[in-house]
Amino acid sequence: MLQYNKQIPVLFLVFNRPDTTEVVFKEIKKAQPKKLYIAADGPRNEAEAEKVALVRTIVNGIDWDCEVKTRFNEHNLGCREAVSTAISWFFKNEEKGIVLEDDCVPSQSFFGFCSSMLEKYKDDDRIGHIGGANFQEGNIIGNGSYYYSRLTHVWGWAGWRRVWETYDVDMKSFEHLKVTELESLASHAAYSQIWYRNLEATYKKEINTWDYQYAYCNLINNRLSIIPNVNLIKNIGFGPDATHTFGSHPHANLPVYELEEIKDPIFFIPNAYADLFTQSVEHPIVKEVKKGFLSRTWKKIKTNLKGTK
């Protein structure tokens, strides 16, 4: 199993789910980071206050050598503001670190993978994000332990202050973005209309979230993500009490794996076929996609993915 550099700090984002919070915290406790930041939004109503208070007692379970910093909101800010400001707080204090939410359960190799990649790419502006989740359904991409992607998976991730400093929760530059610019990216062309609609809805605050802004930040700055070739994160948060992840999802509760070593890819090239495959599972084939890029290249995508095993 990969060795975790315990000096790499962890930000744990929690709210009102004691059950999932406990499961994730058990894995953090096994890893024993030397610094743990815990951020929690305030309750939306009196009925929720008890669960929020119960979640915050998590600090009582920290029984290893650890510097703990907490940011517990008195009032509810909502997902968009609470999470984005918590991450800003984290990176104001730390140059780099690992971010986990209360429903994203990591394997122990996740910590070692993130700490290794954070160090290796700390000064490489081509890389903007390290993801822990893999949605390739067993496809091994390239010849390394990870591959490069244009997608920003945030179910357990790691990053740097240098990237977050360019994050804008209001996406002020979006008014200048044209859908044709998304169509110019092989990784996004088939889903350019979907991406544009979702980004526009986020810009107009019709979607109460923080992560589309982060994906947008990396896209417009032409940064790549690092994605492990095995899945290191299990999302157990789907259900009626979730903020966004209601009902069933093809990526819910995926099995997680351990890594014994990290082998770097030979080529520094993002794999558009892998990115399209991920999106094809997440988004059903809708009318504009059937008529577009994906339908013309789907056989090629599957052939290329098979060829990377």
Side-chain angles (χ1 to χ4, degrees), residues 90-214:
F90 181 54
F91 284 122
K92 181 180 179 180
N93 290 284
E94 304 292 345
E95 289 282 349
K96 56 184 178 290
I98 294 168
V99 182
L100 282 167
E101 295 187 56
D102 60 4
D103 55 3
C104 296
V105 186
S107 70
Q108 285 301 298
S109 289
F110 166 77
F111 297 96
F113 180 76
C114 288
S115 62
S116 177
M117 295 294 96
L118 282 170
E119 181 61 27
K120 179 177 177 63
Y121 292 100
K122 63 182 180 180
D123 298 318
D124 193 333
D125 289 334
R126 296 174 297 177
I127 299 297
H129 176 77
I130 302 162
N134 176 288
F135 303 133
Q136 291 302 309
E137 298 185 356
N139 294 311
I140 303 300
I141 309 303
N143 46 33
S145 304
Y146 58 94
Y147 66 94
Y148 302 106
S149 167
R150 291 198 181 275
L151 301 179
T152 304
H153 300 328
V154 293
W155 290 0
W157 59 281
W160 300 269
R161 178 191 295 168
R162 62 172 173 79
V163 174
W164 194 257
E165 284 178 336
T166 66
Y167 175 88
D168 176 14
V169 72
D170 295 317
M171 294 171 59
K172 289 184 285 291
S173 66
F174 178 78
E175 63 180 320
H176 303 290
L177 183 74
K178 306 297 183 185
V179 71
T180 52
E181 289 165 313
L182 297 175
E183 290 172 346
S184 70
L185 298 172
S187 55
H188 286 65
Y191 296 94
S192 57
Q193 294 291 338
I194 296 173
W195 270 100
Y196 191 86
R197 284 200 299 267
N198 288 336
L199 290 172
E200 183 179 43
T202 303
Y203 171 68
K204 292 179 177 179
K205 299 183 181 180
E206 295 169 356
I207 300 177
N208 182 15
T209 192
W210 65 274
D211 53 348
Y212 272 122
Q213 297 94 316
Y214 184 37

